[in-house]
Amino acid sequence: MPDPALSAAIKEAYASAPADEIIYHTLEFRHPDFTVPIRVVRDVADLTATLEAAAPLNPSTAVLFTGFAFEFSMPELGRAASPEIVISIDNVGREIMGYLDLAAQSADLIEVTYRPFLSSDLTAPQMDPPITLVVREVKADIFKIECRATYGDFANRKFPSEVYDAQRFPGLIAT
């Protein structure tokens, strides 16, 4: 099933894999205790790219993504209660470990946003809206960090999520 959030340019890049077009996979980790978000790109070099207008932090601003080695593992099919994505980041430094220590002492969850960029167009992510997940579990050692992230707690969301009141929906008032 096609993803309507993907731009036509990245769909073309996925389909044809041109040699002169690079797809940059980026992650942004946010937490209320972080002084700045952690932004990484799957590359050996840093990347400066512009965020989307609806970004939670620094909307429509060119930001720096630090080059790191990381991988995604897509959710396993089966009887899992909630689909889960595994993110592994190698060679993590003290700065990121310090942020994770802060987050571990807090009741707030870490949010992670995935944004793909094309080398030919760094003015906006090629997915709108980008995917935002909630980190449920973090394991860290001296070599890597492994995060397990989900799409959220759908079972405990209120339904319907929109409140229908007479002020916004005047047709509800009997005349």
Side-chain angles (χ1 to χ4, degrees), residues 24-167:
Y24 293 108
H25 302 281
T26 66
L27 296 175
E28 177 183 83
F29 294 88
R30 294 179 308 280
H31 188 272
D33 293 337
F34 294 177
T35 55
V36 294
I38 299 169
R39 293 185 176 114
V40 295
V41 58
R42 188 166 68 183
D43 197 11
V44 295
D46 295 348
L47 174 73
T48 299
T50 304
L51 300 181
E52 70 278 7
L57 298 173
N58 311 108
S60 301
T61 305
V63 298
L64 179 69
F65 292 89
T66 306
F68 268 96
F70 69 83
E71 289 296 324
F72 279 102
S73 295
M74 295 311 286
E76 293 182 20
L77 298 175
R79 295 180 286 183
S82 177
E84 186 175 76
I85 293 176
V86 178
I87 303 166
S88 298
I89 304 175
D90 293 331
N91 300 321
V92 175
R94 289 183 188 169
E95 184 178 326
I96 292 178
M97 290 301 287
Y99 280 125
L100 292 177
D101 289 340
L102 277 174
Q105 298 169 16
S106 171
D108 295 315
L109 297 173
I110 299 171
E111 288 184 336
V112 59
T113 300
Y114 165 74
R115 295 177 181 97
F117 289 92
L118 288 177
S119 59
S120 62
D121 182 11
L122 297 173
T123 61
Q126 298 298 313
M127 177 184 284
D128 194 18
I131 297 172
T132 297
L133 307 164
V134 176
V135 175
R136 296 284 181 198
E137 178 185 342
V138 177
K139 293 180 185 175
D141 61 29
I142 59 172
F143 299 111
K144 72 176 182 178
I145 293 174
E146 185 176 282
C147 304
R148 296 188 175 277
T150 63
Y151 289 100
D153 188 5
F154 294 113
N156 290 319
R157 286 191 180 170
K158 64 181 182 175
F159 180 83
S161 62
E162 184 156 0
V163 177
Y164 293 90
D165 58 17
Q167 186 175 25

Side-chain angles (χ1 to χ4, degrees), residues 4-24:
L6 294 176
S7 71
I10 200 163
K11 287 178 186 178
E12 181 181 333
Y14 281 141
S16 62
D20 60 340
E21 188 73 89
I22 299 169
I23 301 172
Y24 293 108

